[in-house]
Amino acid sequence: TPAVAFDFSLTNGGNKAVTQGSSVTNTITATQISGSGTVGFSVSGLPSGASASFAPTSCALSTTTTTCPSTLTISTSSSLPTPVGSYPITVTGSGKTPPPTTVFTLTVNAQATTPNAPSNLAATTISRSKIKLTWTDNSNNEDGFYIERALSSTGPWTQIATVGVNVNTYTNTGLKRNTYYYYRIRAHNT
């Protein structure tokens, strides 16, 4: 009887997104169609500044082992940033001719930059239990501001509120009489 030709297919876990300077994984699965043999994995289409590795780098398929998952890890650079954009990534399985492939889209998102700190924090007493805070918004990329309060200028600081983008005022209510309060405002983004 003639030997059965080795044949297999490849699939992936779908499209992936990653932030510059981070990593993402995708499961690549080799599935036996016929015969037996060893499948090796390779990848192409990576953007500049990105690298890839497989674990395991190869696997054996047979009548007893009909599927083999391998974890593809794609790492992007933040020092020489991987360009933002969408890239078709092709994974090829060696072991037969022509080699099977599977394709997914890798989307590289920009690394968030730290927003500039707010300045000119001012506190105005509105009543014995209410203080209005105002500040200058010096950033154009914040997701909002954290309002923190302490009973000492050295802390400990407790976050008491969060306000949204471009908000530069907050009124703190329910305060105790004859108590000194210290405040600080921090811009944040994700």
Side-chain angles (χ1 to χ4, degrees), residues 158-169:
T158 302
Q159 182 178 320
I160 59 168
T162 302
V163 297
V165 175
N166 298 327
V167 174
N168 62 357
T169 184

Side-chain angles (χ1 to χ4, degrees), residues 65-92:
T65 304
T66 58
T67 62
C68 172
S70 179
T71 301
L72 167 62
T73 302
I74 299 175
S75 301
T76 62
S77 175
S78 59
S79 58
L80 295 170
T82 300
V84 170
S86 293
Y87 302 89
I89 304 298
T90 302
V91 176
T92 303

Side-chain angles (χ1 to χ4, degrees), residues 17-26 43 46-54 72-83 89 104 106 108:
V18 64
T19 301
Q20 290 171 320
S22 298
S23 298
V24 66
T25 61
N26 198 343
V43 64
L46 293 173
S48 63
S51 61
S53 63
F54 290 93
L72 167 62
T73 302
I74 299 175
S75 301
T76 62
S77 175
S78 59
S79 58
L80 295 170
T82 300
I89 304 298
F104 65 93
L106 174 69
V108 178

